[in-house]
Amino acid sequence: MKTEISFILNGLEVDVTVDGHLRLIDVLRNMMSLTGTKEGCGKGECGACTVIVDGRAVNSCLYPANEIEGKSVTTIEGLQMPEHKLSKIQQAFVDHGGIQCGFCTPGMIMSAKALLDSNPNPSDKEIREALQGNLCRCTGYVQIVEAVKRAARQLKSKQ
Amino acid sequence: MRRFDYFRPKSLKEALELKKTIAGAKFISGGTDLIVQIKNRELKPSALISLRFIPELATIEINGGARIGALVTISDILQHPELGHNYPVLTEAAKSLGSVQIRNVATIGGNLCNCSPCADMALPLLVLEAKVRLQSAKASREVPISKFFKGPGESCLASNEILTDILLNPPHNKAKATFLKKGRVKVDLAIASLALLLEMEGGICRKARIAAGSVAPIPLRLSKVETLLEGAAVSEDLVSKAQHLARETVSPITDVRATEKYRRQIVGVYVKRGLEKILGQSLA
């Protein structure tokens, strides 16, 4: 059984026809060719598939595509600035060595963005809590926390 | 993933009718447990009937007590100012459930209907003596949460019923409650967990409610330990008896997360730690 769904993807209205068993990550990667979002464990443990739905970070590997009807989805591709420049959060991850192999990075950055959008001035503890659902096997997390702190400072100074 | 159809009814009536007409269909709320179970091929539904498009299921109402819709997410509970103020033990448990991404999607009703022995939200609801409202096409019934769970993955919910609401009594001003959870890491499922509610009066325990998770086939009320504490002064000797009785009452299993022995030990430790936390004194 196919269903037509309409939603906002990175600021643009889109309509897709989906099978019942498809998940949000299937729509993003296979139908919209937005392969920035990664599938790690596929069980909601690793957070590599994190995207933002209506302002909240969610695991797109556990999110039925049918549920996205009428909602607004932001993926890592949605952070790109004009002239292909990186956003402040992305640049902070690059500058602080918060990226090594890079597989967890899109999910990590989306969780960081959801945090900073709702809490522009997070403590170290709040940053670590917000990223608890994102596993990184390379960095040891210290550089990632530093990157989020730097991004928070830069986003504030911009305002 | 195995194929299935997906339905998005807009009312309870429509949802219950779909369930009746489609053989092998299952209801889905947040889906953070259900989708994993389908992927692991533990469940093979022919269709999923989503409850997320039924607006009245996602509301919270404070009315002396509280009514929490089954589709309220764990994050919604954490962000609700009055719920947290009136029932802090509910917030403590909500904070401990999964990661941010899971809490943003997982629902309180889904956590209960999944009927895991480790269900984090079950424990505060057990000590608060909550009720759940179960709705079928023809009737609605209220069941005490202590009678809801029947075994791992099993509840008293009939196949033609939906858990619609969680009902909480008005908070008692003398009651204090706390929630404790031991996980391998913070985001993991509980190795063992405990909720404890006490009403004290002049150094005497007037009421005790204790519930433990991951140590029995269901989230379990420790009634014997409650009876031991009630009407008594909470002394070091009594606490040590309560710990012993708690360890004897539970029936944990050994699995990938912990051994049966370790789980029993934790329950004992948590009985004491919970009492210490509520009474604000050391019971060493």
Side-chain angles (χ1 to χ4, degrees):
Chain A
M1 189 183 92
K2 295 198 185 283
T3 324
E4 270 196 34
I5 53 170
S6 309
F7 64 105
I8 299 181
L9 178 56
N10 296 330
L12 298 173
E13 273 184 45
V14 294
D15 300 310
V16 286
T17 305
V18 296
D19 282 315
H21 67 284
L22 290 190
R23 306 158 304 159
L24 176 55
I25 193 167
D26 301 321
V27 172
L28 295 174
R29 289 183 57 89
N30 304 341
M31 299 173 80
M32 312 310 289
S33 301
L34 295 179
T35 53
T37 304
K38 307 300 180 198
E39 181 160 9
C41 67
K43 292 178 182 179
E45 306 274 355
C46 77
C49 66
T50 303
V51 300
I52 297 178
V53 174
D54 284 354
R56 286 177 168 187
V58 309
N59 292 312
S60 61
C61 76
L62 297 182
Y63 208 97
N66 270 268
E67 296 293 342
I68 218 67
E69 170 72 36
K71 296 194 167 71
S72 174
V73 181
T74 308
T75 69
I76 188 75
E77 288 88 353
L79 300 196
Q80 188 176 289
M81 308 298 279
E83 295 166 26
H84 300 293
K85 281 201 177 128
L86 295 178
S87 66
K88 292 261 190 305
I89 304 180
Q90 289 169 307
Q91 192 60 52
F93 269 68
V94 174
D95 294 344
H96 282 267
I99 301 175
Q100 285 182 28
C101 89
F103 196 83
C104 75
T105 309
M108 200 65 88
I109 288 178
M110 296 318 285
S111 284
K113 177 173 164 54
L115 169 71
L116 296 179
D117 285 349
S118 65
N119 177 4
N121 197 15
S123 65
D124 279 26
K125 188 166 170 269
E126 286 169 328
I127 293 173
R128 285 181 177 272
E129 276 172 6
L131 300 180
Q132 254 161 7
N134 294 79
L135 298 183
C136 171
R137 302 290 75 170
C138 306
T139 63
Y141 303 103
V142 173
Q143 300 95 319
I144 289 175
V145 174
E146 283 303 315
V148 178
K149 273 158 68 177
R150 159 65 74 87
R153 279 198 300 275
Q154 288 190 332
L155 287 165
K156 258 196 320 194
S157 67
K158 196 181 72 175
Q159 279 158 6
Chain B
M1 194 158 54
R2 204 187 137 85
R3 298 180 80 88
F4 49 78
D5 289 336
Y6 207 95
F7 295 91
R8 296 176 307 196
K10 300 242 167 19
S11 70
L12 271 177
K13 190 166 168 259
E14 202 189 327
L16 287 162
E17 256 164 40
L18 279 167
K19 185 77 190 324
K20 208 167 83 181
T21 45
I22 308 165
K26 273 195 83 75
F27 291 122
I28 177 170
S29 52
T32 53
D33 282 316
L34 187 69
I35 298 286
V36 175
Q37 286 161 6
I38 294 173
K39 289 186 92 172
N40 289 346
R41 297 177 196 181
E42 291 158 25
L43 289 175
K44 293 171 181 170
S46 63
L48 293 183
I49 303 167
S50 170
L51 302 177
R52 275 146 110 172
F53 288 79
I54 304 174
E56 70 258 34
L57 289 183
T59 55
I60 298 174
E61 202 182 317
I62 305 288
N63 48 14
R67 183 195 64 79
I68 307 174
L71 271 278
V72 166
T73 67
I74 307 305
S75 293
D76 291 336
I77 290 175
L78 289 171
Q79 283 166 15
H80 195 281
E82 283 162 286
L83 262 190
H85 178 263
N86 294 352
Y87 309 100
V89 66
L90 198 65
T91 324
E92 278 185 79
K95 267 187 206 157
S96 85
L97 192 154
S99 62
V100 176
Q101 291 96 316
I102 297 291
R103 291 196 289 274
N104 283 342
V105 179
T107 66
I108 184 166
N111 189 238
L112 299 179
C113 289
N114 188 45
C115 292
S116 166
C118 71
D120 287 320
M121 300 314 291
L123 302 189
L125 296 178
L126 279 165
V127 301
L128 293 168
E129 296 173 272
K131 286 182 183 158
V132 289
R133 189 181 287 151
L134 312 179
Q135 176 87 45
S136 70
K138 289 195 184 116
S140 148
R141 58 181 177 133
E142 286 176 16
V143 176
I145 185 81
S146 57
K147 300 260 190 297
F148 179 73
F149 302 105
K150 296 293 174 202
E154 286 170 41
S155 69
C156 70
L157 193 70
S159 68
N160 64 346
E161 282 180 321
I162 292 175
L163 191 160
T164 55
D165 304 284
I166 290 103
L167 307 167
L168 289 168
N169 297 318
H172 192 291
N173 59 7
K174 283 207 180 107
K176 277 193 192 167
T178 191
F179 174 84
L180 299 153
K181 173 173 167 182
K182 178 83 188 154
R184 192 180 53 84
V185 291
K186 178 81 185 15
V187 251
D188 200 9
L189 302 179
I191 286 172
S193 50
L194 190 104
L196 197 152
L197 178 144
L198 278 192
E199 262 174 52
M200 297 296 291
E201 203 180 306
I204 304 292
C205 169
R206 287 291 164 217
K207 182 176 186 177
R209 292 290 176 266
I210 308 176
S214 295
V215 289
I218 58 171
L220 189 70
R221 272 271 299 272
L222 305 182
S223 315
K224 283 184 192 162
V225 186
E226 294 171 359
T227 313
L228 177 75
L229 293 172
E230 284 178 351
V234 182
S235 63
E236 280 177 30
D237 183 44
L238 184 72
V239 173
S240 137
K241 279 185 189 147
Q243 288 186 279
H244 181 73
L245 191 56
R247 285 195 297 263
E248 294 291 301
T249 309
V250 297
S251 53
I253 55 165
T254 295
D255 69 7
V256 64
R257 287 192 169 77
T259 60
E260 174 254 325
K261 200 174 160 192
Y262 182 70
R263 289 191 155 105
R264 266 186 218 280
Q265 185 67 23
I266 293 290
V267 167
V269 169
Y270 274 1
V271 164
K272 182 169 141 194
R273 222 174 264 179
L275 288 167
E276 286 182 332
K277 214 166 136 191
I278 290 176
L279 300 173
Q281 66 186 76
S282 164
L283 297 162

